[in-house]
Amino acid sequence: MDLDALRNSLKTEGRLALQIRVIPKSPKTQWGGELGDGSLKVKLAAVPEKGKANEELIRFLAGEFGVRRQQVEIVAGATNPHKQVRITA
């Protein structure tokens, strides 16, 4: 996973689509690497109930890509560990 390349892509194209696999109830919120299908794994320190894990994912991605939380949107998979996320610059 090349995070710098993803950040550069967001800057040049103005938007970024990511396939994310979340692992809730982890000790710490952090990147977990890249899976064989090209999706990115994110470990979340939140529980998957009442939208807490989704909110933590949005907060984490906004911080990692230097955008506001409103610029990060879960477009598919809100109730699934496999999510499609769109980030706009």
Side-chain angles (χ1 to χ4, degrees):
M1 175 181 77
D2 187 355
L3 194 54
D4 288 331
L6 291 173
R7 287 181 181 130
N8 287 336
S9 179
L10 176 61
K11 286 179 184 175
T12 57
E13 296 179 25
R15 65 182 158 183
L16 184 63
L18 300 173
Q19 298 295 324
I20 303 280
R21 167 83 160 101
V22 297
I23 311 297
K25 298 192 267 183
S26 295
K28 182 179 176 184
T29 298
Q30 62 187 3
W31 291 107
E34 188 171 351
L35 299 172
D37 64 359
S39 61
L40 302 174
K41 184 169 34 171
V42 177
K43 298 177 181 181
L44 298 174
V47 294
E49 53 189 49
K50 298 181 182 178
K52 291 178 183 176
N54 287 340
E55 187 58 35
E56 178 70 6
L57 176 64
I58 289 170
R59 184 201 61 75
F60 175 72
L61 292 175
E64 289 290 299
F65 289 95
V67 298
R68 294 187 320 253
R69 291 166 54 171
Q70 295 84 353
Q71 294 171 270
V72 180
E73 178 185 7
I74 298 173
V75 294
T79 60
N80 193 306
H82 298 278
K83 302 180 185 301
Q84 185 176 2
V85 177
R86 179 175 39 228
I87 304 171
T88 54

